[in-house]
Amino acid sequence: MNAPHSPVRPIQALPDQLISQIAAGEVVDRPCAVVKELLENALDAGATAITVRLEEGGVKRIAITDNGRGIPPEQLPLALARHATSKIASLSDLENVGTLGFRGEALASIASVAQVTITSRTADAPHASEISGSHDGKVTPSSGTLGTTVDVRDLYFNTPARRKFLKSEQTEFGHCAEVVRRIALSRPDVSFSLTHNGKTVDHWNTSEIDKRSAYILGNEFANARLSLDESAGPLRVHGFIGLPTASKARADAQYFYVNGRFVRDKLLTHAVRAAYQDVLHGDRYPCYVLGLELDPALVDVNVHPSKVEVRFRDSRAVHQFVFHAVSRALAQTSGSAPAPQPASTGTLPWLREQRQSSFGAQLSPALGVSQTMADYGALFSGDAPQRQMPAGTASAVAVALEFREPPPEEFPMGFALAQLHGIYILAQNANGLVLVDMHAAHERILYEQLKNALDADAMQVQPLLIPVTFHADPVEVGTVEENMEALQALGFDISALSPTTLAVRAIPALLKNADAQTLARDVVRDVREFGGSRVLVERRNEMLGTLACHTAVRANRALTIPEMNALLRQMEATERADQCNHGRPTWVQLALSDLDKLFLRGQ
């Protein structure tokens, strides 16, 4: 289609008002953007208590009050001027940004599309001062306590075309409320209050991050989360990640912060998602509240006007750090089981033997997981009185209904009592009854054994008899040339034949039957975007998962008591034993109190 002809105009400087309105189009696209900018300013001013008042979803009014340091009267006009800020003064400051806001455009942009009034008072001022309109407005005395109130009314009153793009009042309020929640999660040491049309919607007192996150994300997350705090060199990641059982159908409970700033970064999202790949269904999303801390010089926060995207100087190091930290936390998800024992260091021939072995052999004492009958007998020992049984009751029944001492704490999965319908193992531990899906549990055990054995071997490379060539764009060619060592470490030999052609000469031996061109393209794309690739691991794990599924004990297979107990001991020693590699739970705990409720005991 031909573009419409535009009138020929001379080059001229734009008026300040239009410049600010153009900037507002980038920074203030809807009411929630105003809320975000003003909240960040309040936190940068050292506020410990913030109140957010909204009317009609923020379109009619947004008023944010804080108890921060305040703005001196003589600086109030500059607060509404373009490119005026107290947060940076040099290029060095810009490259080491330690504040949430820093552009010096937000208030000026907001004032260009709304009626803005700023009331502020510093600690040494006898009274508050006020300015309205723009930086040309007059500063007048006012009443007010220490801190600042920014009152924004009639958003987009002078740009009606933009106002037409806004959604309903409730939709716009929902976006504003989400912004408040995001920022409240990052600063539990600050109290927040949110009102809409005169009604209080949320209020959070100062607290710790565990309480603040539980309040905002709900009890389901609070009751199924793992704490995380790891450091490596200049990097630290901390917070909470949800167990797979707390996953959601939408990615609306994922909060990641970089140096206290909420971000939507595809590299960090990919790293967390990859860590969950072994324990979560593909159509489910994990919940988490995580903070990444690093030297501000190692991350560029100035790549997007709304500052929700960042760029890391060493993206691969950040990706791998976050991935491994989350993976290690998830690896401990074995209920109350002890820390996983060191993995066996088998070889690839061992994998073939393992696949061909019988279930009984896999649970044999040779693997070091079955316990002696003396340990099992400890469950039924003790000097506690036995319940009286009617005369003539069979001895087997009498033994089954004895009062039993709790099992030793070193066996958190307890000891097997029976097998139900050839599918479930019933076991007793100190807390009550344990129900185990024996196929799912055994599948996870075999899957982890296969991975550990494979990881113990060096990456095996399969040279291709005839190199596979394919057309590539300049970005793909450049990625290969810049990341040759990383690709070789992944088992690939890829090189450029011409500025538009790549040749694949070798791929990982484990994936020798895969389509070399498709695999190479996927890996190159991952290396370009994330500094590393999970494609190989994902495809390898898919294959191992299929192998484990077919090798694991099937339903309706009768197991002996020693075999069932051997399976329980293996679960205690296996990482991620709470879920099979399809994301299904492998066992559940029914506490004695749960059983008492079923039978109305004590009521």
Side-chain angles (χ1 to χ4, degrees):
M1 297 179 63
N2 294 326
H5 294 287
S6 58
V8 178
R9 292 173 177 167
I11 298 174
Q12 57 186 344
L14 296 175
D16 284 348
Q17 177 72 2
L18 182 56
I19 293 174
S20 294
Q21 289 176 338
I22 292 173
E26 298 178 336
V27 179
V28 190
D29 58 340
R30 62 195 320 165
C32 64
V34 176
V35 174
K36 172 183 178 294
E37 295 290 344
L38 299 185
L39 284 177
E40 290 180 347
N41 283 343
L43 292 174
D44 286 340
T48 59
I50 300 176
T51 299
V52 181
R53 299 190 299 271
L54 306 175
E55 294 181 16
E56 296 183 8
V59 177
K60 182 178 181 181
R61 188 186 186 195
I62 300 171
I64 295 183
T65 301
D66 67 66
N67 65 344
R69 291 183 294 272
I71 306 172
E74 65 275 11
Q75 294 184 19
L76 282 174
L78 280 173
L80 289 172
R82 289 189 304 111
H83 301 159
T85 180
S86 63
K87 300 169 185 178
I88 59 172
S90 65
L91 179 60
S92 176
D93 291 340
L94 183 61
E95 294 175 344
N96 294 272
V97 172
T99 55
L100 297 175
F102 58 87
R103 288 176 174 269
E105 297 176 358
L107 286 174
S109 299
I110 295 169
S112 70
V113 293
Q115 302 288 349
V116 175
T117 299
I118 303 178
T119 305
S120 190
R121 181 180 179 180
T122 58
D124 58 352
H127 55 76
S129 298
E130 180 179 296
I131 187 172
S132 297
S134 68
H135 66 284
D136 294 326
K138 184 178 180 181
V139 178
T140 59
S142 182
S143 60
T145 59
L146 174 65
T148 302
T149 295
V150 181
D151 198 341
V152 180
R153 296 175 182 266
D154 297 324
L155 192 61
Y156 305 129
F157 78 99
N158 58 354
T159 52
R162 175 161 298 162
R163 194 161 185 165
K164 294 178 181 178
F165 284 93
L166 297 179
K167 304 299 182 181
S168 67
E169 176 181 326
Q170 282 304 116
T171 297
E172 296 300 338
F173 169 70
H175 287 295
C176 292
E178 176 62 18
V179 166
V180 178
R181 282 192 292 268
R182 290 172 185 167
I183 294 180
L185 269 174
S186 70
R187 293 296 301 272
D189 58 323
V190 177
S191 67
F192 291 84
S193 181
L194 172 63
T195 65
H196 186 225
N197 294 335
K199 296 181 180 179
T200 299
V201 177
D202 280 311
H203 179 80
W204 302 290
N205 292 321
T206 57
S207 61
E208 300 297 328
I209 183 60
D210 57 338
K211 295 181 180 179
R212 179 69 61 86
S213 61
Y215 189 93
I216 293 179
L217 272 71
N219 290 331
E220 184 179 1
F221 176 77
N223 296 329
R225 64 184 178 182
L226 301 168
S227 61
L228 172 64
D229 194 338
E230 286 203 22
S231 299
L235 303 176
R236 179 195 175 206
V237 62
H238 58 95
F240 297 97
I241 58 174
L243 292 171
T245 52
S247 63
K248 304 185 69 175
R250 297 188 302 168
D252 57 355
Q254 299 181 344
Y255 298 87
F256 215 119
Y257 302 85
V258 175
N259 289 344
R261 184 192 309 278
F262 174 81
V263 298
R264 291 193 193 94
D265 184 80
K266 60 183 180 181
L267 181 143
L268 298 175
T269 301
H270 183 273
V272 176
R273 182 71 180 179
Y276 273 89
Q277 67 175 350
D278 272 356
V279 293
L280 205 61
H281 281 292
D283 58 350
R284 303 289 294 179
Y285 295 90
C287 304
Y288 52 82
V289 178
L290 291 172
L292 177 66
E293 296 179 6
L294 71 166
D295 186 338
L298 300 178
V299 56
D300 184 1
V301 298
N302 197 28
V303 297
H304 192 276
S306 62
K307 303 186 292 290
V308 294
E309 297 178 9
V310 295
R311 182 184 296 118
F312 297 101
R313 179 172 297 180
D314 190 343
S315 59
R316 181 177 183 181
V318 172
H319 182 279
Q320 292 302 299
F321 170 68
V322 173
F323 165 72
H324 288 296
V326 176
S327 294
R328 280 190 289 269
L330 290 172
Q332 307 304 317
T333 56
S334 300
S336 56
Q341 298 174 0
S344 59
T345 56
T347 61
L348 286 175
W350 174 85
L351 296 184
R352 292 190 289 271
E353 296 171 4
Q354 183 78 346
R355 184 179 185 182
Q356 298 169 355
S357 63
S358 65
F359 177 69
Q362 292 164 7
L363 296 181
S364 68
L367 290 178
V369 294
S370 62
Q371 77 290 338
T372 65
M373 289 307 295
D375 291 332
Y376 180 70
L379 174 64
F380 302 96
S381 64
D383 299 326
Q386 298 183 5
R387 295 177 178 175
Q388 296 297 319
M389 299 297 296
T393 303
S395 60
V397 176
V399 170
L401 293 180
E402 285 179 336
F403 178 85
R404 301 182 176 101
E405 288 291 322
E409 291 185 358
E410 59 266 28
F411 301 121
M413 295 296 296
F415 293 94
L417 300 175
Q419 188 178 15
L420 181 64
H421 289 290
I423 300 175
Y424 302 103
I425 294 173
L426 279 63
Q428 175 180 319
N429 66 0
N431 297 320
L433 179 67
V434 175
L435 296 176
V436 178
D437 182 332
M438 65 183 193
H439 173 74
H442 194 218
E443 185 177 353
R444 167 59 73 180
I445 292 168
L446 292 179
Y447 180 58
E448 292 296 330
Q449 289 176 345
L450 292 169
K451 288 198 304 180
N452 291 337
L454 188 61
D455 290 341
D457 291 317
M459 174 67 71
Q460 300 294 319
V461 176
Q462 175 66 52
L464 301 180
L465 185 62
I466 300 176
V468 175
T469 61
F470 59 92
H471 177 78
D473 60 40
V475 174
E476 290 175 320
V477 174
T479 300
V480 169
E481 292 176 341
E482 294 170 6
N483 297 274
M484 194 71 71
E485 292 185 3
L487 292 169
Q488 289 175 351
L490 294 171
F492 280 87
D493 181 356
I494 307 177
S495 59
L497 290 183
S498 73
T500 59
T501 306
L502 290 176
V504 184
R505 293 183 170 84
I507 62 174
L510 189 65
L511 302 174
K512 62 183 179 181
N513 294 324
D515 182 272
Q517 177 179 333
T518 302
L519 187 61
R521 282 190 184 276
D522 289 344
V523 171
V524 170
R525 183 197 64 237
D526 270 10
V527 169
R528 180 179 72 246
E529 294 183 1
F530 310 114
S533 178
R534 298 297 301 167
V535 171
L536 302 182
V537 176
E538 290 168 2
R539 296 198 180 183
R540 181 200 75 167
N541 289 352
E542 286 177 5
M543 187 194 74
L544 297 182
T546 301
L547 177 60
C549 184
H550 289 297
T551 309
V553 59
R554 313 306 297 179
N556 300 317
R557 167 73 185 275
L559 303 182
T560 65
I561 290 293
E563 286 177 328
M564 286 187 277
N565 282 306
L567 183 62
L568 298 178
R569 300 294 78 79
Q570 281 188 313
M571 291 177 66
E572 293 166 348
T574 299
E575 295 181 343
R576 307 173 184 88
D578 278 357
Q579 288 84 28
C580 75
N581 44 301
H582 303 299
R584 295 190 297 108
T586 59
W587 66 282
V588 295
Q589 171 83 59
L590 291 177
L592 286 175
S593 58
D594 297 328
L595 297 174
D596 288 341
K597 290 178 182 178
L598 291 175
F599 293 97
L600 306 179
R601 290 179 59 87
Q603 299 184 19

